[in-house]
Structures are given as structure tokens and as C-alpha cells.
Amino acid sequence: MKKIIALTLTALTAMAAFAKPFVPGKTAVVTIMANDTITWFGEDDEEHGSGLLNLAVRKDITENASKEEQIQAGYTAYMMEDVKAAVFEVLAEKGLDLIPEETVLASNAYTAASDNKFLLAGFRNKPEGYKLLATNEKKLYPLLISELGADNIVLINFNIQKNMNTGVSHTGNMKACATVTIQFLDAKGKMAKSFSGYGSASEAIPVVKGVYDPQALAEQYPEALRAAVRKALEKL
């Protein structure tokens, strides 16, 4: 009987620890990134292609095209500053104790870090000053957390897309949408918690056989990005 009681208490203690809510402390955002081309939600990217020639074109448009040209071609590089703004606005709304962006980006550990080569090869865009970092930067994160005095570091990854609201075969009406994954790593650089969320614009725009007004779609992304981050952090 004593053995059964002891086992029961151990199980209850484990359950209580598992159920304990995650409360982030002092937090540093170290990565914000997004896909380079806007795709249809739930579909492969058939518009922009993956061959060597297409990849060269994608790289050129991302790095050299004007905002207007990127909007017309369905690229995301021009919106990276708004992606960043959406992140910090919503994190502030949630009351997180954020280490200032300039402190993070100017830290010795961060400035010495390099972009993750796999993310770099995967055409992920980022706001100016940020590095493309994965969850497995085992040597970097403890150094970064120690230098910044952080309890957690955060990696944020967007998938920026467009979605049919009503209709079939890309005829009807559509909305800008985004999915975001927000990962919190602890003081040892290990995954503490991960949250995902989907958000879309509140108004729809017409689309006929996949043809729509790119400028009207572009104007919807600030709302969609913020909606995605809010949805993810509802679970915080």
C-alpha cells in the first residue's frame, strides 16, 4: 500500500509539473524570418519554381527589385520591417519583458554569429540586422542568454500566404494570411515552449482564375501578420 501511495504521489507531482503554465521572464527576440515568395495556403509553390534558374531569379528579385516590383511579383522582402513591427507590437501587448532590440543585435555573441546555412539556402527573409538562426545553435544560445541576462530567447518564423475565402479554382474572393511559429528557448538553449497561430485579413478581395490586385493584397498583410501573432500568443 505504501508503495502504491508513493507511486501515486510521484505521478501527481509529475502531472502538476507538466501542467505548470509557462511564464516567460526576461525575453530576447533573436530571429524573425519569413518565406520569400507568397504562395496559396495549402498548395505547393508552382508560381515561382525551384530550378536553378528560378532560384537565381528569386534571389535577384528579393535583393534588388523595388517594393512595387516585389508586390507585383508576389515576394515578401519589402514587408520585413512590418513583420518585425507586428512581432514587437503584439509581444508588448502581451506584457512580455523584452530586452531592447538594439541590445540584442549589438551583443558580442550575436554579432559574432553567422546565418544558419540551411535557412540561408532555403530562401528565408529577415529584417535588417537579424540573423537566420535555427533551434539547434547549441553553442550560441547559452552564450547569448548569459551575456544578455535573459531567461528566454525567442525564434519567430512566418509563412506568408494568400487564401481563398469563398469560391473554387482560385475564382471567388481571397484574403492575405500568415502562419507563425514562436519558439521560446530556456536558459540552457533548450526548447521550453512553442506556439503556432494563423491569421488572415478581415476583408476579402476578388480573384478570377488566380488573377487579383496585388496592391490590394499587399495592403492586407499588416493586419494578417498581427492576427497570426495574436492567435499564437493566445496560448501563452
Side-chain angles (χ1 to χ4, degrees), residues 38 40 161-166 170-176 201 203-208 210-213 217 220-221:
I38 298 169
W40 287 100
Q161 297 185 291
K162 52 194 176 185
N163 200 4
M164 291 297 296
N165 186 50
T166 60
H170 298 164
T171 295
N173 59 67
M174 61 185 287
K175 295 180 177 181
E203 300 294 328
I205 60 174
V207 54
V208 179
V211 179
Y212 56 89
D213 180 351
L217 183 71
Q220 292 188 333
Y221 281 108

Side-chain angles (χ1 to χ4, degrees), residues 172-204:
N173 59 67
M174 61 185 287
K175 295 180 177 181
C177 68
T179 304
V180 66
T181 299
I182 303 175
Q183 298 171 308
F184 286 81
L185 277 61
D186 65 17
K188 294 181 180 179
K190 295 181 179 180
M191 184 69 68
K193 209 72 173 176
S194 179
F195 304 96
S196 294
Y198 170 88
S200 66
S202 54
E203 300 294 328

